[in-house]
Amino acid sequence: MPLTDSQLIEIAALRAQSAATARPTVPALEAMLYAPFEVLDHGFVRVIDYMGDDAAIVQAARVSYGRGTRRVSEDAGLIRYLMRHRHSTPFEMCEIKYHVKLPIFVARQWIRHRTANVNEYSARYSILDREFYIPAAAQLAAQSVSNRQGRGDVLSGDEAAEVLTLLRDDAARNYDHYAAMLNEAADGQPLDPSRQGLARELARMNLTLNTYTQWYWKTDLHNLFHFLSLRADAHAQYEIRVYADAMLRTVEAWVPLATQAFRDYRLGAVTLSAGMLKVLKRMLAGEAVTQPDSGLNPREWVEFMGMLDRSS
C-alpha cells in the first residue's frame, strides 16, 4: 500500500482544515488537495498547494487589474490563442506543488526537466523505506529492435518469471545489506552494540534503483505542460507516463480551459517540419510522393507517414 495508516490519518486531518482567503481558489482542485493518487505498486502523486487558475492566465495576458467581466467563451478563446501561438509567460502565472513517491530510476529520468523547484527525501539524513517497484507482468518487455530506448514484445513464461524473481531477490538482498551496514534499529539504537555501522550517506549506494524515494516538486503551468507533453505522450516510458497521467487529472481540475487547449494544440497535435509541409501540399495537390523524391530522409519519412496514419 502506498500510504500507511498514520499517513492516511494525517492526510484526513489536513483535508478537514479550512481557512478563509481573498485569493481565487478552484473548488475542483480543492477537493483533491493532499489526497493521494496511487501510482505503480507503492507510489503516489499528491497536490500540496497551488496558485492561480484559468482567469489568472487571462488576467496576465490582458494585464488587467481585476478578474475581468468577459464571458468564459472569450477567456477560452484567448487561452487557446496563447497556447496555439506558444505565448508562455501568461501560463507561468500559475504554479502548483506536488508530493511524489516514485522509484529512484524514474526520479533520475524526471529530474532531467530542470524547470522546477525540487526537494528530495534525504538518504543522508534518514533511512529509506523497504519498498521496491516490481513491474506487473504486462510491463516486462524485451528491448525494441528498432528503438534503442524503447520496449519490444512482452516476455512470457519462464523468462518473465525469472526476471521477476531476480528483481525481487536482488532488491531484498541489497536492502538487507544496506540495513546491516547501517546497524541501526527503527528507534536509532545500534542493532549490534559492538559495531559502529556505516554512515547513511555511504550505505545508500548499495540500494537498487527500483527503491522508492520521495520529493516535493513545484513548477509553473507553462513548464508543467512541457513536462506533460513529453511524459504523458504514448511513446514515453510507462513508469513515468503513469505519473504524468495522474498529474494531468489534477491539472484538468485546476485549469480546465488551459488543459483543453493543451490537449488540442500540444498533447494531441503534431509538428510538421518545413520539408514535411511541402510534401503534404504536394500530396493534397494530387501528387503521388514517395520517400526517394520527397526530400525527407528515411527516418523522417517514417515519422511523417506515422503522423498521417499511412504505411511507409
Side-chain angles (χ1 to χ4, degrees):
M1 184 174 73
L3 295 171
T4 64
D5 290 340
S6 62
Q7 289 170 327
L8 291 171
I9 292 172
E10 181 182 353
I11 290 170
L14 287 169
R15 288 177 55 78
Q17 297 176 358
S18 63
T21 177
R23 69 177 180 85
T25 58
V26 180
L29 189 59
E30 290 284 323
M32 295 179 175
L33 278 181
Y34 311 120
F37 289 86
E38 296 185 6
V39 183
L40 300 180
D41 48 359
H42 299 291
F44 60 72
V45 171
R46 300 197 300 142
V47 178
I48 300 301
D49 200 1
Y50 69 98
M51 179 185 75
D53 57 6
D54 278 322
I57 301 168
V58 171
Q59 182 186 46
R62 293 179 177 143
V63 197
S64 60
Y65 289 98
R67 302 273 291 171
T69 58
R70 297 174 187 261
R71 292 176 298 178
V72 171
S73 60
E74 293 180 82
D75 287 352
L78 175 56
I79 288 173
R80 292 178 69 81
Y81 174 88
L82 296 170
M83 182 68 69
R84 189 163 63 249
H85 293 278
R86 296 186 176 271
H87 292 279
S88 59
T89 49
F91 297 100
E92 293 174 0
M93 299 299 108
C94 296
E95 294 194 346
I96 193 165
K97 179 166 64 176
Y98 292 100
H99 176 199
V100 186
K101 182 178 179 182
L102 67 173
I104 291 173
F105 76 94
V106 177
R108 298 303 159 253
Q109 185 181 41
W110 190 317
I111 205 67
R112 290 171 60 83
H113 297 269
R114 297 167 293 172
T115 50
N117 305 115
V118 186
N119 193 63
E120 186 174 1
Y121 184 95
S122 174
R124 296 184 68 193
Y125 181 79
S126 302
I127 299 175
L128 286 167
D129 293 331
R130 188 189 178 92
E131 291 181 316
F132 324 110
Y133 168 60
I134 304 298
Q139 301 307 323
L140 292 177
Q143 178 65 44
S144 169
V145 296
S146 60
N147 183 350
R148 293 183 181 180
Q149 60 176 13
R151 302 180 188 184
D153 296 333
V154 175
L155 302 181
S156 61
D158 292 343
E159 185 176 10
E162 182 181 5
V163 168
L164 288 173
T165 298
L166 288 172
L167 288 171
R168 292 192 187 97
D169 291 353
D170 287 355
R173 183 184 64 250
N174 282 28
Y175 191 93
D176 288 343
H177 291 169
Y178 165 71
M181 287 187 285
L182 289 172
N183 190 36
E184 191 172 340
D187 60 1
Q189 297 301 310
L191 293 170
D192 180 354
S194 67
R195 294 194 296 119
Q196 285 186 294
L198 189 66
R200 294 171 184 174
E201 66 178 24
L202 291 171
R204 61 179 173 171
M205 75 174 79
N206 201 55
L207 294 169
T208 52
L209 290 180
N210 62 340
T211 305
Y212 274 84
T213 185
Q214 300 183 42
W215 63 29
Y216 275 73
W217 193 78
K218 181 175 71 70
T219 190
D220 63 64
L221 183 59
H222 165 64
N223 285 301
L224 177 55
F225 276 151
H226 178 68
F227 173 86
L228 294 175
S229 69
L230 296 173
R231 303 307 183 180
D233 183 87
H235 299 94
Q237 182 175 341
Y238 168 79
E239 283 79 11
I240 196 168
R241 189 173 74 244
V242 288
Y243 282 92
D245 289 343
M247 295 166 74
L248 189 54
R249 290 175 60 188
T250 68
V251 178
E252 286 175 326
W254 175 32
V255 283
L257 298 182
T259 305
Q260 187 57 56
F262 166 71
R263 283 189 176 278
D264 290 343
Y265 297 120
R266 299 284 295 281
L267 192 59
V270 296
T271 300
L272 297 179
S273 67
M276 291 175 180
L277 183 58
K278 288 180 181 178
V279 173
L280 182 59
K281 288 179 178 179
R282 290 167 60 189
M283 289 178 169
L284 291 174
E287 185 178 346
V289 185
T290 60
Q291 187 274 317
D293 63 5
S294 68
L296 305 177
N297 67 43
R299 184 166 185 173
E300 286 178 304
W301 178 259
V302 170
E303 292 175 1
F304 180 52
M305 289 296 99
M307 294 174 185
L308 302 180
D309 289 330
R310 294 187 178 187
S311 61
S312 55

